[in-house]
Amino acid sequence: MRKAFISPGKYVQGEGELLNLGYFVNTFGKTALLIAHADDVKRVQNQLDATKETYGIQFIQSNFGGECSREEVKRLQALAAESNCDCTIGLGGGKAIDTAKCVAQGGPLIICPTIAATDAPTSHSAVLYTPEGAFDDYAYFSQNPSVVLVDTKVIAQAPTRFLVSGMGDSLSTYFEARATRSSYSPVNAGLPCGYREGHCPPARGTNTAFALAKLCYQTLLADGIKAKLSCDINQVTPALENIIEANSLLSGLGFESGGLAAAHAIHDGLTIFEGTHQYYHGEKVAFGTLVQLILENAPAEELEEVLDFCLSVGLPVCLADIGVIAPSEDELYQAAEKACIPEESIHAMPFPVTVENVVAAIKAADALGAQWKSTWNHH
């Protein structure tokens, strides 16, 4: 059986790590294209100035427009060539990170997340949008980022909701890897490189990836609440460090080399509801995880553990929590149909899944979550 595991070249996290950014730029040269939103640059301007001074490097400002579109990628690639940049830096949230991946195209790339809201920093894939913000395509590259540099002090200063959303994304990692492993489905680590270019035989997940996915879940249960409280008061503690690692590294390696299944497909289906658009990716994935557990008829103890975890950190457990109020039967079918299109990860479940199955599981997860929430709040 062909198996694959991929990862960034180096992952470094700690307080004040942005001050070492120049050191990593120097491993490629002297000039780096800095892809970051103006607000994110402003947040860390002092650290950028200090590392520039210490290591004698130059940042080429990109005036990033905020959208990861083909047009923006083309513009930035031209700027990088014109400025003779030795590497690319993606600093900020998901859009800046994905744009940097597309600009670098597998070349020297340093990712500096300023929030721990998703597991995008470590992966070799990106999501492309139109300039207006509509989904365009997925892109895959020949390499994961060269360096992922996480300054935990910066992340502790960001709103707690980002960290909690990251925990929602991480929550699905173990359950989706478990389903993918049971069904012997291919994983992202074996996907072809480039913008849908090239072909290679599918690869399954490794024992290593599955162990990391499991550790991700165990870390959430052990340190999630403590990390949330630390972030509420903007303090870096061992628990916060552990959750940042779970959200960024364990979940990133777990989803890419361990596999995606129903939780992320349900997330994609739920995006047909206008009300969900004000909620973060990980918040919707948390509810998608509950739907997956209902689909596979997970043991009651496991469902209860997940529900308790979600409520303790403030993650959604029912449709109303993600802005879906009194959906019609027709809307639920539309969401389920979108979750079940042939390309979706829901087909990595270890049994056939129909649109009807998904509608039933969404309704059941919603009812269970609402009931558990009211009992939980009462206690």
Side-chain angles (χ1 to χ4, degrees):
M1 188 190 296
R2 186 171 190 260
K3 294 185 174 188
F5 179 89
I6 54 177
S7 67
K10 185 171 288 222
Y11 178 91
V12 183
Q13 80 166 50
E15 288 186 73
E17 274 304 322
L18 263 185
L19 296 171
N20 297 322
L21 176 57
Y23 168 82
F24 294 105
V25 171
N26 268 339
T27 61
F28 304 113
K30 287 287 176 195
T31 308
L33 178 69
L34 179 65
I35 298 174
H37 192 274
D39 292 345
D40 286 313
V41 174
K42 202 170 161 187
R43 274 181 69 196
V44 297
Q45 191 66 65
N46 292 344
Q47 293 96 312
L48 293 176
D49 290 344
T51 198
K52 191 170 142 186
E53 183 80 21
T54 306
Y55 293 100
I57 54 154
Q58 185 186 3
F59 294 123
I60 303 298
Q61 297 293 341
S62 62
N63 300 314
F64 174 52
E67 198 52 80
C68 182
S69 66
R70 292 173 193 271
E71 291 79 356
E72 182 71 339
V73 169
K74 207 171 167 185
R75 177 183 79 80
L76 293 171
Q77 283 175 333
L79 176 61
E82 185 189 300
S83 310
N84 293 317
C85 292
D86 301 304
C87 66
T88 307
I89 298 168
L91 182 144
K95 295 286 176 86
I97 286 170
D98 277 3
T99 304
K101 289 178 192 173
C102 292
V103 170
Q105 287 196 304
L109 172 65
I110 303 170
I111 297 295
C112 304
T114 54
I115 54 175
T118 71
D119 47 23
T122 61
S123 81
H124 83 312
S125 58
V127 186
L128 284 156
Y129 295 86
T130 66
E132 296 72 42
F135 173 78
D136 176 0
D137 200 2
Y138 293 103
Y140 298 93
F141 307 104
S142 57
Q143 299 290 331
N144 293 60
S146 318
V147 180
V148 177
L149 190 65
V150 186
D151 192 325
T152 53
K153 204 168 182 180
V154 171
I155 287 172
Q157 300 299 318
T160 305
R161 187 180 166 194
F162 288 124
L163 185 83
V164 172
S165 172
M167 288 195 249
D169 204 13
S170 300
L171 179 63
S172 71
T173 307
Y174 166 61
F175 300 109
E176 291 188 285
R178 183 175 74 180
T180 304
R181 183 182 173 88
S182 298
S183 64
Y184 294 93
S185 294
V187 297
N188 278 9
L191 283 170
C193 315
Y195 289 30
R196 296 288 191 212
E197 291 166 8
H199 299 280
C200 57
R204 269 70 193 177
T206 57
N207 294 334
T208 302
F210 185 64
L212 293 173
K214 197 169 184 179
L215 177 60
C216 183
Y217 181 55
Q218 290 166 341
T219 305
L220 291 177
L221 295 181
D223 287 323
I225 303 168
K226 291 180 281 179
K228 179 192 179 294
L229 294 171
S230 301
C231 202
D232 284 341
I233 56 168
N234 310 118
Q235 297 303 306
V236 178
T237 60
L240 181 62
E241 292 270 7
N242 288 347
I243 291 299
I244 290 169
E245 183 183 338
N247 288 5
S248 309
L249 183 64
L250 293 174
S251 182
L253 299 178
F255 100 80
E256 197 164 43
S257 293
L260 295 172
H264 272 79
I266 303 293
H267 161 281
D268 296 346
L270 292 169
T271 60
I272 70 134
F273 292 103
E274 194 70 37
T276 64
H277 298 178
Q278 60 187 313
Y279 291 87
Y280 297 149
H281 172 81
E283 293 171 331
K284 290 174 275 194
V285 169
F287 180 69
T289 303
L290 288 172
V291 178
Q292 175 174 322
L293 291 172
I294 294 286
L295 264 179
E296 58 191 15
N297 197 23
E301 309 77 63
E302 191 169 74
L303 265 166
E304 289 168 12
E305 186 174 70
V306 170
L307 284 162
D308 281 341
F309 170 76
C310 287
L311 290 168
S312 71
V313 296
L315 281 167
V317 294
C318 58
L319 288 172
D321 290 348
I322 51 168
V324 181
I325 313 294
S328 70
E329 195 74 3
D330 187 48
E331 285 172 327
L332 288 173
Y333 267 85
Q334 281 178 46
E337 278 162 11
K338 188 175 167 72
C340 290
I341 60 169
E343 303 80 14
E344 266 296 0
S345 56
I346 202 161
H347 304 295
M349 294 301 287
F351 46 81
V353 179
T354 66
V355 170
E356 289 73 18
N357 296 154
V358 174
V359 171
I362 291 174
K363 287 180 176 178
D366 179 45
L368 177 67
Q371 183 191 57
W372 200 260
K373 190 178 178 179
S374 89
T375 314
W376 206 83
N377 286 341
H378 184 65
H379 288 311

